Amino acid sequence: MRILSIQSSVSYGHVGNSAAVFPLQRIGHEVMPVYTVVFSNHTGYGSWRGPLLSGDDVRGIVQGIDDRGGLDDVDLVLSGYQGGDDIGDAILDSVALVKQRNPGALYACDPVLGSAASGCFVAPEVQQLIRDRVVPAADLITPNQFELGFITGTDPLSIDDTLASVDLVRDSGPSTVLVTSVLRPDRPEDTIEMLVVHGDGAWIVQTPHLPFKANGSGDVTAALFSSHFRGSGDPADALERTAASVFELLQNTLDSGSRELRLIESQEAYVAPQRSFASRRIR
């Protein structure tokens, strides 16, 4: 599978393309990364160095790929954090160009807006762009539970609430929705869930909830799920495979005591994770 991944890049640590590209390559995909920023490290450290690319820079790089015929067989376009509305416009233009070359290509958007713990951390113009233009253009989105509520103007807590919110966002465009970090009040203690809705079905998977936050884990989750789903068309299988790989990656990172994902050290987790987690159909 050939994948165009338009995301940020950091030299130290693993977020954006620096988190997504290697796991995708490790499971056998050809990835063409296009960077939106080139930073020394992720912004959670409070300081960083390096440039932001403009929307025109992104368009130029994608056009250069197209000049070589490199968009003709792209099966999947990924996007994540969008630091400005000009980048969002460039991503939408790139998706449109890919779909001209291959109408069967899938656009998977991780609508990065914030979290329940931190609230919304992107500029108002980016919030509006993602909600009003990017999400409706996507075939697949991977919001966390907070982001799903933000996009739909709802407050999903229970499974029924979350499914209702997913149905609202699917009415706007995306046919497949993966909700990460689902924390329903009645879940078993020390667990966390992910939920996928596709067609008339919905599936949920539960894993232990590890007591730490790892920047970049959402980028890995979105990349793995999107590629598994694009490859098999089976949402439950993609959900189970992603949950197993990401849990092992996070467990390895927690055990290491590192703030940064043990992305390379966990490479076997993407191919053959040691544990499995069965999904359950809930609709």
Side-chain angles (χ1 to χ4, degrees), residues 10-11 15 23 55 61 88 94 108 124 138 144 170 229 243 273 280:
V10 296
S11 295
V15 299
I61 293 167
S94 300
N144 61 37
R170 291 178 75 210
F229 177 71
R280 175 171 59 93

Side-chain angles (χ1 to χ4, degrees), residues 96-179:
L97 183 57
V98 167
K99 291 199 170 193
Q100 285 179 24
R101 303 294 181 255
N102 177 15
L106 192 76
Y107 172 37
C109 167
D110 185 6
V112 180
L113 293 164
S115 67
S118 62
C120 197
F121 51 62
V122 300
E125 62 269 20
V126 176
Q127 299 170 23
Q128 294 168 10
L129 174 81
I130 290 175
R131 183 188 62 223
D132 300 336
R133 296 179 55 207
V134 176
V135 165
D139 302 294
L140 186 163
I141 62 171
T142 59
N144 61 37
Q145 198 171 21
F146 168 84
E147 290 161 341
L148 174 65
F150 189 93
I151 291 167
T152 57
T154 61
D155 186 21
L157 291 176
S158 69
I159 290 298
D160 287 344
D161 291 342
T162 302
L163 288 172
S165 297
V166 168
D167 289 340
L168 280 175
V169 78
R170 291 178 75 210
D171 287 342
S172 75
S175 58
T176 306
V177 178
L178 172 72
V179 186

